[in-house]
């Protein structure tokens, strides 16, 4: 994956951006009065899972599970009680066992960027629990092309 540590590309026309609204609840707020950083990570995972569940066929979902092997998050602005949140995700580059996914967390009211994330996911065979190569159909749907590494 050729992205530098803090490079988070904007989505392009090759793959759609999947969006998932999120609601801030009282338990999300930390002692500083804003959403705790761990909650952003949960939103990153929530939108990735929702995208997979929506876009993959039942057969693909029965064959492949995904585990995160790396998360990078850049926090830009705080999310506050009462803010509506939208988690946006799109796929990135992939190699045999590493699939990149990008996520933005934006405030719904003004679409201001609150956080940006890059996650690397590994496909796992449900039956064996081991990393697995995915079908051409999954690769085409869930990557923007080969990794440059």
């Amino acid at each position: 994956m050729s992205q530098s540590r803090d490079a988070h590309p904007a989505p392009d026309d090759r793959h759609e951006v999947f969006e998932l609204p999120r609601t801030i609840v009282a338990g999300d707020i930390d002692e500083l009065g804003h959403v705790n950083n761990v909650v952003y990570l949960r939103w990153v995972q929530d939108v990735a899972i929702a995208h997979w569940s929506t876009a993959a066929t039942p057969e693909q979902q029965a064959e492949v599970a995904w585990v995160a092997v790396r998360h990078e998050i850049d926090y830009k602005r705080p999310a506050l009680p009462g803010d509506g949140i939208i988690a946006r995700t799109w796929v990135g580059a992939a190699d045999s066992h590493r699939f990149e996914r990008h996520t933005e967390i934006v405030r719904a009211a003004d679409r201001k960027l609150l956080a940006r994330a890059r996650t690397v996911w590994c496909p796992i065979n449900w039956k064996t629990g081991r990393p697995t190569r995915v079908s051409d159909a999954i690769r085409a749907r869930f990557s923007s092309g080969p990794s440059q590494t």
Side-chain angles (χ1 to χ4, degrees):
M1 317 273 151
S2 64
Q3 300 299 325
S4 69
R5 188 172 187 340
D6 44 25
H8 297 282
D12 59 33
D13 294 333
R14 292 179 287 174
H15 291 85
E16 90 278 356
V17 175
F18 180 85
E19 295 189 349
L20 183 69
R22 300 282 77 194
T23 301
I24 296 172
V25 298
D28 295 339
I29 306 303
D30 64 18
E31 65 277 358
L32 299 175
H34 56 69
V35 171
N36 187 281
N37 290 358
V38 173
V39 176
Y40 287 85
L41 181 58
R42 185 179 73 225
W43 291 337
V44 167
Q45 182 167 311
D46 288 350
V47 71
I49 291 168
H51 181 225
W52 169 250
S53 298
T54 301
T57 67
E59 295 79 18
Q60 291 168 337
Q61 292 178 45
E63 181 182 328
V64 176
W66 296 89
V67 295
V69 296
R70 180 178 182 86
H71 290 290
E72 300 169 7
I73 302 177
D74 295 326
Y75 300 96
K76 303 296 186 179
R77 293 179 180 85
L80 302 171
D83 284 344
I85 301 298
I86 300 171
R88 309 174 70 236
T89 192
W90 61 95
V91 298
D95 61 28
S96 62
H97 291 105
R98 295 166 50 93
F99 284 69
E100 186 178 62
R101 178 179 285 278
H102 303 280
T103 304
E104 291 179 343
I105 307 298
V106 300
R107 189 170 34 237
D110 58 9
R111 304 296 278 201
K112 290 279 188 185
L113 179 67
L114 306 180
R116 237 186 218 130
R118 175 182 170 268
T119 302
V120 178
W121 296 86
C122 177
I124 301 295
N125 179 289
W126 270 111
K127 291 179 182 160
T128 67
R130 308 273 305 154
T132 188
R133 292 189 184 271
V134 298
S135 69
D136 290 343
I138 291 175
R139 181 168 302 282
R141 183 75 176 95
F142 293 98
S143 78
S144 62
S147 168
Q148 301 300 308
T149 59

